[in-house]
Amino acid sequence: MMGWTRCVAPVAARMMTWEVTTSFDGTLTGTELRKRFDEDFGDLFGVREDESRETLDTGVRVNRVFFWPLVSFNASDGRKHRYLVSIANEPLVCYRKKFDRCLPRQIALFAVADKLLRGEPLNAIFVGDVAECGLKDKVNEGVAECSVAEICVEENVANDGNLMLIALWKNVLYILVFMNGRLCHWSEEFGYGDCFDERIAERVRRFKEFLKADELFASAGAFGEVFVCGDNVPDMEILFQIAAKDSFWRDLDLDESESMKPCEKRRWTMCALMLLTLGVSFAFFSDDSWVMRNVREWCGDVVPVKDVAPVELSLPAERDLEKLAWAEGHRDLLPAKWTHGREGFMHDETFGNQRRLRRACDSLDFKLLGIVGGRVALMKTAAGETKTLSVGDSLLKYCVKEIGRNEIVLRCGRKEVRYEIELPNVSSIVSAISAR
């Protein structure tokens, strides 16, 4: 009862079909329905219009009458609306703490009919052919015992969706009529015995005459017949739960309340607590949370991260590139291991002398070997000499205009030369040259 599924309680209740006629375009509100119902039946159900869910003068608590629409159709004298009238036959306050809804327990018969209409198996319930068990003939003769068979079905029941289900359960005779697979009639009559006797046979014959004369059912043709001995059908509670999930009964409740029921409150409370727990856990223990940041600081596990472009690894090897960057004085780009014992390292005078050479703009022949830190480019001349260049440095008559992650742009007057890093297994290097 405490799970996440919505629990439905089977309760003792009464149901009947009630017809109301209006104009062809007429509609009925809940107040009008109750007024018309009281005019037709008075205090038949023991509930007055102004005392739903209250106590009568006798102190007996009453329950609300519900009008659930079955079918609506045009007739000769107007629009006819047929409702399934239902009222609980016992106090429902005791169900509210553990159940979300209350429905009549006899809707289990609806599940039997629905399964037959859909052609689904009835599992452990015995289903026999009418001719084999002879229940139909014995009902007509008024001598059928419920021990003969639990359910007897005609062969054409599931073909057209027209079905008449006659059930005897707990001394109550139920007659359900389905047309085109839709429930259109429900009747209950009390005071019968525990077998199909002459009274039931006579009642079934009179009901068949009603079907032939009714403005709705007369046009439907023949109805398949199903006879059910409810006292001998196993798993009626399971059939009730199956019926409660059907689209017809799914949103109905004999114990509707304006406020949320206790079981629903518990469900929402559990959901809220779970969401709160997940939210607090994420807020306090995620990697970017305030708590984890402080924990790392307290434990000395904070490693400062600089927003520096990653070192490009290309030919030649990374260690050779670092040596060349160190030789040109770019020590701030190299790991701390390079600063130890190298304070006296002298620049190669050859690199400085070569930087001061100047040649014509169209005679430049260099190869880009690599880029360190996105700020230093290592280039190799046609003579095999290696140079390190930063933005603003000069190379012959060219000036370093830009250094990217994979390329360097040199400018001489209005002419720009773009060098890209030579990748392994590539036969040539693409140099984009544009003149402005």
Side-chain angles (χ1 to χ4, degrees):
M1 300 299 181
M2 294 293 291
W4 294 103
T5 58
R6 295 176 61 85
C7 300
V8 186
V11 300
R14 291 170 288 172
M15 289 195 291
M16 59 174 279
T17 303
W18 175 51
E19 182 179 272
V20 184
T21 304
T22 64
S23 60
F24 286 103
D25 58 348
T27 58
L28 291 167
T29 64
T31 303
E32 292 172 337
L33 275 175
R34 186 54 193 268
K35 183 179 179 180
R36 296 277 293 269
F37 184 78
D38 289 342
E39 291 175 355
D40 290 348
F41 296 98
D43 197 27
L44 178 65
F45 281 85
V47 184
R48 293 196 294 268
E49 180 180 357
D50 57 344
E51 295 191 86
S52 175
R53 287 219 167 165
E54 301 297 333
T55 55
L56 300 175
D57 297 336
T58 58
V60 179
R61 186 176 182 85
V62 297
N63 295 301
R64 176 181 169 187
V65 178
F66 288 90
F67 304 93
W68 297 329
L70 287 177
V71 65
S72 178
F73 60 96
N74 289 327
S76 58
D77 56 344
R79 185 77 176 173
K80 291 187 181 295
H81 310 267
R82 291 182 178 174
Y83 292 88
L84 181 60
V85 182
S86 182
I87 180 174
N89 208 23
E90 60 177 306
L92 301 179
V93 63
C94 57
Y95 292 100
R96 293 176 186 166
K97 293 183 179 180
K98 296 182 179 181
F99 294 92
D100 298 277
R101 294 189 295 146
C102 294
L103 286 175
R105 63 166 55 95
Q106 57 265 40
I107 69 171
L109 299 173
F110 177 95
V112 175
D114 186 68
K115 280 182 172 290
L116 291 173
L117 289 170
R118 295 175 185 272
E120 299 178 2
L122 291 175
N123 299 329
I125 301 176
F126 173 80
V127 180
D129 186 82
V130 175
E132 291 181 4
C133 63
L135 185 57
K136 180 179 179 180
D137 296 335
K138 293 181 180 180
V139 168
N140 293 332
E141 297 172 2
V143 293
E145 295 289 341
C146 274
S147 59
V148 174
E150 285 80 14
I151 299 179
C152 283
V153 186
E154 287 191 345
E155 294 181 355
N156 65 338
V157 165
N159 293 341
D160 53 11
N162 296 336
L163 171 67
M164 181 175 65
L165 184 144
I166 302 101
L168 182 62
W169 187 23
K170 298 183 184 298
N171 306 117
V172 180
L173 178 65
Y174 298 91
I175 301 180
L176 282 63
V177 179
F178 291 79
M179 190 173 73
N180 296 326
R182 178 177 180 179
L183 178 65
C184 296
H185 179 87
W186 187 296
S187 64
E188 301 177 357
E189 297 184 19
F190 297 83
Y192 290 88
D194 54 1
C195 64
F196 288 96
D197 54 16
E198 294 181 359
R199 288 192 304 159
I200 294 179
E202 177 61 26
R203 181 68 183 93
V204 171
R205 282 194 292 269
R206 286 190 287 110
F207 189 83
K208 289 181 180 179
E209 295 298 324
F210 158 74
L211 290 179
K212 295 178 182 179
D214 184 75
E215 292 178 292
L216 176 64
F217 298 130
S219 60
F223 284 81
E225 297 179 20
V226 176
F227 298 86
V228 180
C229 296
D231 294 329
N232 294 335
V233 174
D235 301 327
M236 290 297 280
E237 294 183 359
I238 297 177
L239 291 170
F240 169 84
Q241 296 297 335
I242 294 174
K245 297 177 182 178
D246 186 85
S247 58
F248 182 83
W249 308 98
R250 186 180 301 153
D251 299 322
L252 304 182
D253 186 6
L254 288 173
D255 189 32
E256 289 185 354
S257 58
E258 297 179 358
S259 59
M260 190 180 297
K261 294 182 182 180
C263 52
E264 190 72 10
K265 289 181 180 179
R266 288 195 300 270
R267 184 181 293 107
W268 280 103
T269 301
M270 292 173 65
C271 289
L273 289 176
M274 290 185 64
L275 290 175
L276 180 61
T277 303
L278 290 174
V280 171
S281 300
F282 179 80
F284 278 81
F285 299 106
S286 62
D287 291 339
D288 296 331
S289 66
W290 176 85
V291 172
M292 293 305 296
R293 288 198 303 269
N294 283 274
V295 168
R296 287 195 295 267
E297 290 178 1
W298 296 334
C299 297
D301 192 27
V302 176
V303 179
V305 179
K306 295 182 179 179
D307 188 13
V308 179
V311 177
E312 295 292 338
L313 300 181
S314 59
L315 294 178
E318 180 184 9
R319 184 172 182 83
D320 296 335
L321 295 178
E322 291 175 347
K323 288 181 179 180
L324 293 173
W326 176 269
E328 289 298 320
H330 300 286
R331 305 182 183 182
D332 57 325
L333 302 178
L334 301 175
K337 64 181 182 178
W338 281 94
T339 62
H340 181 68
R342 289 182 170 84
E343 291 79 1
F345 193 88
M346 302 301 293
H347 293 285
D348 190 342
E349 293 297 332
T350 305
F351 292 165
N353 295 333
Q354 291 294 335
R355 185 183 293 117
R356 289 189 293 270
L357 294 178
R358 296 293 183 268
R359 294 182 182 177
C361 291
D362 57 350
S363 62
L364 191 61
D365 186 8
F366 282 76
K367 180 185 295 184
L368 179 61
L369 298 179
I371 295 175
V372 179
R375 291 188 289 174
V376 177
L378 306 177
M379 301 191 70
K380 184 176 182 181
T381 66
E385 298 178 348
T386 304
K387 297 187 177 297
T388 59
L389 302 174
S390 300
V391 175
D393 288 350
S394 297
L395 184 63
L396 300 182
K397 290 186 178 182
Y398 286 86
C399 178
V400 180
K401 177 184 177 181
E402 180 182 348
I403 297 177
R405 293 176 58 87
N406 301 307
E407 61 187 9
I408 181 173
V409 179
L410 305 178
R411 183 165 185 170
C412 179
R414 294 191 304 170
K415 182 178 181 180
E416 289 186 2
V417 181
R418 186 184 304 272
Y419 289 91
E420 295 181 355
I421 297 176
E422 183 176 357
L423 301 175
N425 300 325
V426 177
S427 59
S428 62
I429 304 300
V430 178
S431 299
I433 303 176
S434 60
R436 299 181 182 177

